[in-house]
Amino acid sequence: MKIRELGVYGYDDFDAPIMAALVTGDPVLFVGRHGTAKTMLCRNLSSALGMTFHAYDASKALFDDVIGFPNPSRLSEGYLEYVGDGMTIWDKEFVLIDEISRADPTMQNKWLEVIRARSIMGRKVESLKYVFAAMNPLDYIGAMPIDLALASRFAWIFVSPEVGAMSENDRAKVIRTIGWEDAPLLDHKRNGDAILALESQVNRQRERLQNSMKCASPLIELIERMLDRLAVGASERGITIADGRRLSMIRRNLLACFLADGISSRAQNIELVGSAMAKYLPMLLPSVIIDEEGIENKTNALIHDAIKSVVGADSFIAPMPFEIGIPAVKSFLKGEFDPFALELAVEALEREDRTLGNYKENNADIADITEAVIKKVNESGIEVQREIWSRLWNIYSNATSRMSDTVITMSVNNIPTK
């Protein structure tokens, strides 16, 4: 999944983490200044998933607005039932709790159960699949610090990008964007129409995660050793942001994030895994929303030492672009044949084809490496699903047809004819 395909730009660093959050269903918090598309992204995600969506303004909403009023006739029968309307939560599938840091602390406490357990006073909100929240940075007037009990409910804490820090191309796209609530009298197509088969992507990734978590693997072992060092280091330094629940959330979400990024659970490239940990771990710890002097620097040092203890080098901490794509495919080509790794390689090739295929000079590389994948599969002698063959052939034919006016063809075994 590419977030830009949802009509929201500048969020490329969050492609894999947001997919991980959709896979696990763990709560997400966006921290960002006004106008950084926090609400728009949530609405567009829900639209692409085909889910009912509601954004609650936590600074204004009373809990009666959320749960409705008790039905008097059912109370007389000894049964508590709430009378709902379009605002109440009982039929919602995807909710955004906006301005959560501006809510009265007593109201924040009432959201705890919804965020963590998808329930209200012990009653499950059966339809509710995703809980996202949003807040402004603490330097905004009226934005109050979130206590650790609330902060610990959120698996991912994303700092929304500001338009001035985006690429020139992304700024241009932002300037041309008209959001859901904008210009109501203009006739325009709203961004966020369900343009992705997002639900099937999420389900496929969820199945992978569940399969990966059932057995030991080098990647899981590395994550668990790193988390052990993170817990010990936090205790020794008096940093209270890594409780047991947090460590468990990090384990599953970090693994889901790696799989979404094309890193197999069997991956043994220590430098690659270390770089990924250094990129994503700060998003899985709540230091940016804790009102404690120096907490971000302490957390960064804690992350550095925890990763270094299992990776054994400092080099991965240096800022660097982190793109999996073609390197993931090359990793498949170097290893023994693995159907799971093949599927990850195909998805990586599809991402490259979508994002780089518009540039003519990249198509030869895409075609060459796709041909190498097809050759490896043929040489393996192992049966492969027809869907995988079709997707490989589509990538190859798309790339070669864009290289010149003449379509280049090649002879391969078992390729389905169009």
Side-chain angles (χ1 to χ4, degrees):
M1 179 192 71
K2 292 286 187 182
I3 294 174
R4 61 178 53 251
E5 294 174 346
L6 293 170
V8 180
Y9 305 100
Y11 278 79
D12 292 354
D13 285 343
F14 306 120
D15 285 344
I18 287 180
M19 174 58 79
L22 295 177
V23 166
T24 65
D26 284 321
V28 171
L29 174 63
F30 286 101
V31 183
R33 300 193 175 278
H34 58 284
T36 50
K38 302 183 293 297
T39 301
M40 181 178 175
L41 175 53
C42 293
R43 188 184 293 275
N44 290 6
L45 280 171
S46 69
S47 178
L49 288 165
M51 291 185 167
T52 56
F53 173 80
H54 193 84
Y56 294 97
D57 186 336
S59 68
K60 301 186 185 78
L62 302 174
F63 222 58
D64 290 340
D65 299 326
V66 179
I67 65 175
F69 294 92
N71 185 337
S73 63
R74 297 308 304 272
L75 281 175
S76 65
E77 300 170 4
Y79 183 81
L80 178 60
E81 178 183 84
Y82 291 97
V83 178
D85 57 22
M87 185 183 295
T88 50
I89 200 170
W90 302 105
D91 63 341
K92 303 300 184 292
E93 297 171 296
F94 193 127
V95 301
L96 169 66
I97 308 168
D98 201 7
E99 306 289 2
I100 193 166
S101 64
R102 296 177 185 270
D104 181 272
T106 59
M107 191 61 194
Q108 288 184 6
N109 292 336
K110 290 181 180 179
W111 283 111
L112 288 176
E113 191 182 5
V114 175
I115 295 167
R116 175 64 183 167
R118 311 294 198 275
S119 63
I120 297 172
M121 293 178 288
R123 177 175 292 184
K124 294 292 290 185
V125 184
E126 298 292 347
S127 62
L128 188 56
K129 301 297 188 298
Y130 296 111
V131 179
F132 283 44
M135 61 176 280
N136 295 132
L138 297 180
D139 59 0
Y140 271 57
I141 297 174
M144 296 178 287
I146 288 179
D147 70 46
L148 204 53
L150 180 56
S152 70
R153 264 63 179 180
F154 295 102
W156 291 96
I157 299 93
F158 300 127
V159 178
S160 300
E162 297 185 36
V163 68
M166 295 179 188
S167 68
E168 183 178 356
N169 184 53
D170 280 349
R171 282 198 301 274
K173 291 181 182 301
V174 169
I175 291 168
R176 298 175 190 134
T177 296
I178 301 178
W180 286 79
E181 298 88 357
D182 300 332
L185 299 184
L186 291 183
D187 182 17
H188 65 90
K189 183 178 180 180
R190 301 289 179 185
N191 283 323
D193 289 347
I195 56 174
L196 293 178
L198 188 52
E199 184 178 7
S200 63
Q201 292 182 41
V202 171
N203 289 338
R204 200 160 56 237
Q205 291 286 4
R206 186 175 293 125
E207 182 179 358
R208 287 180 186 160
L209 177 63
Q210 290 171 333
N211 290 335
S212 297
M213 292 175 70
K214 290 177 182 176
C215 55
S217 71
L219 182 58
I220 291 176
E221 181 184 346
L222 199 65
I223 290 173
E224 290 179 349
R225 285 197 287 124
M226 181 276 298
L227 288 173
D228 180 74
R229 300 318 306 161
L230 190 77
V232 172
S235 177
E236 291 174 345
R237 302 176 195 200
I239 302 175
T240 57
I241 60 172
D243 56 52
R245 178 166 56 201
R246 171 69 54 188
L247 296 174
S248 176
M249 286 195 296
I250 292 175
R251 178 184 181 272
R252 61 181 175 267
N253 280 279
L254 197 55
L255 180 58
C257 191
F258 286 178
L259 295 178
D261 233 344
I263 302 177
S264 167
S265 62
R266 299 172 181 83
Q268 299 191 42
N269 185 329
I270 297 297
E271 184 178 353
L272 181 64
V273 172
S275 296
M277 286 181 177
K279 177 177 181 179
Y280 295 127
L281 269 174
M283 304 179 193
L284 285 159
L285 290 165
S287 57
V288 296
I289 55 174
I290 302 299
D291 187 25
E292 180 182 324
E293 187 175 354
I295 187 64
E296 286 191 65
N297 290 335
K298 292 177 185 177
T299 301
N300 290 337
L302 175 65
I303 290 171
H304 177 280
D305 291 346
I307 301 176
K308 183 180 178 182
S309 69
V310 296
V311 175
D314 289 321
S315 60
F316 59 83
I317 296 297
M320 61 173 68
F322 186 71
E323 291 293 337
I324 301 301
I326 292 299
V329 186
K330 291 180 178 177
S331 176
F332 165 76
L333 292 172
K334 291 178 183 177
E336 295 183 8
F337 181 85
D338 177 351
F340 176 77
L342 170 62
E343 191 171 350
L344 292 179
V346 172
E347 289 200 355
L349 282 168
E350 287 173 334
R351 288 199 298 271
E352 297 296 316
D353 187 52
R354 286 197 305 269
T355 57
L356 299 179
N358 293 328
Y359 302 95
K360 189 173 182 179
E361 63 273 16
N362 294 312
N363 286 296
D365 291 337
I366 295 171
D368 287 346
I369 198 166
T370 306
E371 184 175 350
V373 170
I374 292 172
K375 182 179 179 182
K376 182 180 177 72
V377 175
N378 280 328
E379 290 175 347
S380 74
I382 297 174
E383 291 186 2
V384 174
Q385 292 179 350
R386 184 181 182 88
E387 179 207 359
I388 296 294
W389 275 125
S390 298
R391 290 163 65 187
L392 276 170
W393 183 244
N394 283 335
I395 297 165
Y396 181 79
S397 59
N398 288 342
T400 54
S401 65
R402 288 190 299 252
M403 288 164 58
S404 66
D405 294 334
T406 303
V407 176
I408 300 173
T409 61
M410 73 176 195
S411 176
V412 293
N413 297 331
N414 302 321
I415 292 291
T417 56
K418 289 192 172 183

